[in-house]
């Protein structure tokens, strides 16, 4: 972590669109350098920016859960005895918890 008052002797250059610059400038409270350092150091402390991979994995899990629930609903509507509803519900709750954790990373 950077100690307040420590002289910064290295520069990093990034390219942004106008919209990205405006959003980051507003979020940073006027000190974009401090904001970028804090975000980068936080990402390093938390194992890196894996948000995209997390979201893709969750999307795939939700698609599979949706497919399972559709199959269960078809069987129920056809009057067929259904098993596995508790497992599907438990998996849905676990996935909802993962979504909540990923959303906390975004905020």
């Amino acid at each position: 972590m950077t100690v307040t008052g420590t002289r910064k002797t290295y520069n990093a250059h990034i390219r942004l669109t106008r919209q990205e610059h405006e959003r980051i400038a507003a979020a940073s409270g006027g000190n974009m350098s401090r904001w970028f350092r804090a975000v980068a150091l936080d990402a390093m402390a938390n194992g890196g920016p894996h948000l995209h991979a997390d979201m893709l994995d969750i999307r795939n899990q939700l698609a599979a859960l949706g497919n399972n629930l559709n199959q269960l609903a078809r069987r129920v509507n056809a009057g067929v005895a259904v098993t596995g509803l508790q497992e599907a519900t438990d998996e849905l709750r676990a996935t909802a918890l993962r979504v909540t954790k990923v959303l906390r990373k975004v905020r």
Side-chain angles (χ1 to χ4, degrees), residues 5-106:
T6 302
R7 183 170 161 80
K8 314 303 186 286
T9 57
Y10 295 93
N11 291 313
H13 179 82
I14 63 166
R15 297 175 59 87
L16 304 168
T17 66
R18 181 179 55 80
Q19 292 86 1
E20 290 168 338
H21 184 272
E22 289 171 357
R23 288 179 64 196
I24 294 168
S28 71
N31 191 330
M32 289 177 72
S33 291
R34 182 184 305 145
W35 187 86
F36 276 112
R37 283 193 306 273
V39 169
L41 292 169
D42 183 57
M44 288 171 47
N46 291 309
H50 301 292
L51 184 61
H52 182 70
D54 289 345
M55 294 301 290
L56 288 175
D57 185 46
I58 289 171
R59 183 191 66 188
N60 292 338
Q61 283 184 342
L62 288 173
L65 280 170
N67 186 37
N68 291 346
L69 290 172
N70 282 335
Q71 290 175 7
L72 290 170
R74 274 192 220 108
R75 288 181 179 170
V76 167
N77 289 333
V80 177
V82 175
T83 60
L85 191 55
Q86 185 61 50
E87 292 83 5
T89 303
D90 292 344
E91 193 173 344
L92 185 57
R93 283 191 181 113
T95 302
L97 183 60
R98 281 194 66 204
V99 168
T100 300
K101 288 179 181 178
V102 170
L103 286 175
R104 284 184 188 137
K105 291 180 186 178
V106 175

